[in-house]
Amino acid sequence: MTSRRGIALVLLAGAVALLAARAASQFYADYRWYRAMGALPLWEARFTSLLALRALGGLAAGLFAFANFYAVRASVVSLVLPRRLANLDFGEEVSSRALTGVALVLAAVVGVALALSLDDWVGFLQMRIGRPFGETDPYFTTDLGFFTYRLPFETTLFGWATASVLCVAAVVVFLYVLTPGLRLERGRLHVSEYIRRHLAVLAGVLVVLLAWHFRLEMYGVLVDGTGPNGAFGAVDHRVRIPGTLVLAVVTLAAGLVVMWAGWTGQRRLVLAAVGTVVLTAIATRDVAPLIATHFPDQPDAAVRERPYEATRAGYTRRAYGVDGIVTGDRSPAYATLAGAAIGVSEWDAIPLSRAVEAESRLDRGARVGWISRADGIVGVVTSPQPPPAPGEAAPVGIVVRTVASAADDRGAPLRLDVPGSDDDAGLLAPSLVLDSASGYAVVPDSAGRVRGVALTSPFERFAEGLSVRNLRLWTSELPEPRPVLVTRRDARERIEALAPFFAQGSEVTPLVFGDSLFWAVDLYAASSTYPLSQRYVLAGAPRTYFHHAATALVLSTTGQVDLLADRALDPMAATWVEAFPSLFVSQAALPAEILADLPPAVDGARALALAFGRFGTRADSGRPSHPPVIDGADSTLAGGLPVYALPDGGPTALEIPLLDQAERMRGVLVAEGGPAHRTLWLPDSAARGPIWHDVLDRLSAADTTARERGESVVHGVVRAFMVGRHVTYMQPVYRWTPGAVPQLLHVLYTVGDSVRVAPTLRQAAGVPAPAVPGPRMSAQEHARALRDLYQAMRDALRRGDWTAFGKAFDALGALLSRPVP
């Protein structure tokens, strides 16, 4: 028995040591990763916040647990354990000090376990340093920062406290079961008076926690009202808030009464206190709202709710930044159809990527970005590749630029890959960070540019190998020189580690600069507890507050993350920019080309379209409106938002049509990309715009060519854009059979009340397509061009002409990226 016990202890000690080594390696690896990213202040804030949060929580939970376990220990008069010596059996009494020690150790274990479950360090830090909004709600006169900073963290803390009390109570009951004071005999449960007192105190603590819940619910009424979509109304103001306050006070008093009465043995008083809470809850949560609804003091519901509707409108505008929308500036409107012909994309992202993949022999899953150039909207199709494994050839990632507002005679995209031009198709350097990747990579980094942790010493290799659960990093050969371990290779995961306080947008957009690929992700200051605001589902979650805060740019070749903060910041975003200024870069630190190509904020545009459509601006509320529910596209392409190039070389933008309650067109909301991220409202000057469904029906009825030929076609998203002072509509139609390459069949567009069909909008407006490459060269010409460029590079190298060498090198890359004949 002794040998078995020794083996078990050794195994237990080994397991504990392994877990401790694993935790230590994770801690060390995290520290080195944040240091490599230049984000040590963030790591220090996370470490100190978690330490303080868990220390305070563990101390509170441990003291509460020890008080209860000591009470259990006090109920044990004596504890005799059987002992055996040779052939003699005898009992050994456990000392009182040993029992107290067991209670202390058990309380420490429970406290540590409960403390480790506290991980909301962002909420804890935000509650401490959150910048005040400087504005109060009209009912509690509390700064709005209370709702966005303190209320969510306090709600999390309430849930943890309740779970902790229930956990300790369960352990207490289990311990009492081991004693004679709590037993089941002849189908009846026997509970000693001492245990009954203890359990009554625990029940009273739970009732007090219930009072805390009602207090939080009182503030939550401003967030989740009883009106449509959680709107706050007259019943919430006059009945639910005072009723919940009364319920919280009564429950708190009842909890104290339950503890006192249970301790003194007054069971009837305990039942009376609990019954009072139940009756008060029924009266305040069910009866009073029912009476207020059926017997209101103001019979006209519209008049009664009008001031609350006005309050909700004001808070919604501030919650989504609606008053920042620019009105009266019609620069995003195209002057003529010819101007729109080069700015409106005739390709949706999916058919464009599929067509380019087939034409350029790219791997499936190419990503599409959009940029604005002098000759119109350009679709940039990228096919990034991860770095090679040791001993393998470097993979080739390719970028192909296409004229998104045109197609060739076959209906294929027009490629802007003319050798020697500024828009060459080219090679992409291998990408360490992708928009969807897992695992890790070990790469050589002699220049010290890769944002990873160096594996230059045996200790570093052992610690990092233990953190990623692969000790071969310690024992095997690694790529030289200066091997670097790159973890968090998913762009979103890397951004989440560096900006956990922001909500990420739903799109990861590729941007190309030279041979480098950037991933762009919009970041938002978001909250679901901002009061009195309309609730919308944005970026995959319900929100009552949503402001664009920054744009994250991830350089795929090195993993460098730059957070470009907006010029105008709301209080939530300003809190984090002030707390961690080293994480953010200025616009002057980034290339002008990257700033100009920043994509429009998709989720921010949707939020503004919903809030502005419903409530308008403070200066002009207008008629209530909404974005179209149906975009006219077939299910394959439905849900996409087309990207436009604004006139006169402006940035790319999203244009969202807004319809009134009769489904008539009101105008177009334009959300610009680029460094400014402006949003503009362009109303249609027509007194009565067309009905949206009528527009879709007329476009569909005009598309007779494909039906007559019996061709399989797919319709793209209907584009609505402003030409002059009126909205024009265009819809692309693709020839798309299963397994075949998508081709642009034609476009449908409106002129006044009529619908016309043309191969492209450029041809309809008489705008020539930009210059495109000539016929594909033969295999002999391709080989000869490769030899000529190689010889040109050798000649330039021999005479030391690095400019000529670089041009020949770029031309060689462009030639290699073209399909081989």
Side-chain angles (χ1 to χ4, degrees), residues 288-449:
L290 185 65
I291 293 175
T293 302
H294 287 79
F295 302 99
D297 56 354
Q298 172 57 258
D300 191 341
V303 174
R304 185 175 68 249
E305 296 296 331
R306 189 171 297 154
Y308 301 99
E309 176 74 14
T311 301
R312 181 162 66 253
Y315 278 83
T316 302
R317 294 186 190 113
R318 289 188 288 276
Y320 299 100
V322 172
D323 287 328
I325 294 176
V326 179
T327 58
D329 182 353
R330 303 195 67 87
S331 59
Y334 301 104
T336 62
L337 186 62
I342 65 173
V344 179
S345 173
E346 295 171 353
W347 288 91
D348 293 270
I350 294 177
L352 179 62
S353 63
R354 297 282 178 85
V356 172
E357 285 168 357
E359 178 72 18
S360 302
R361 304 178 187 177
L362 304 182
D363 294 335
R364 260 299 176 82
R367 307 295 186 261
V368 180
W370 309 91
I371 59 177
S372 177
R373 290 295 181 261
D375 52 1
I377 183 77
V378 174
V380 182
V381 184
T382 60
S383 177
Q385 297 296 326
E392 295 183 358
V396 177
I398 296 178
V399 54
V400 177
R401 295 174 176 85
T402 64
V403 183
S405 58
D408 62 17
D409 294 337
R410 300 171 299 146
L414 288 178
R415 293 178 46 168
L416 292 173
D417 57 356
V418 183
S421 72
D422 292 335
D423 288 320
D424 287 350
L427 304 182
L428 289 174
S431 296
L432 288 170
V433 179
L434 303 172
D435 64 335
S436 179
S438 59
Y440 61 88
V442 180
V443 296
D445 180 35
S446 59
R449 297 179 63 246

Side-chain angles (χ1 to χ4, degrees), residues 609-679:
L610 291 169
F612 171 75
R614 175 66 179 82
F615 298 103
T617 62
R618 182 166 42 186
D620 180 16
S621 58
R623 304 191 304 272
S625 56
H626 60 275
V629 177
I630 300 174
D631 57 17
D634 293 333
S635 58
T636 306
L637 305 179
L641 283 177
V643 179
Y644 303 76
L646 295 184
D648 302 322
T652 55
L654 299 173
E655 301 199 7
I656 303 177
L658 293 182
L659 317 175
D660 64 15
Q661 293 177 323
E663 297 295 307
R664 291 186 177 276
M665 175 61 65
R666 280 196 61 205
V668 176
L669 195 71
V670 180
E672 293 183 355
H677 278 103
R678 292 194 313 163
T679 304

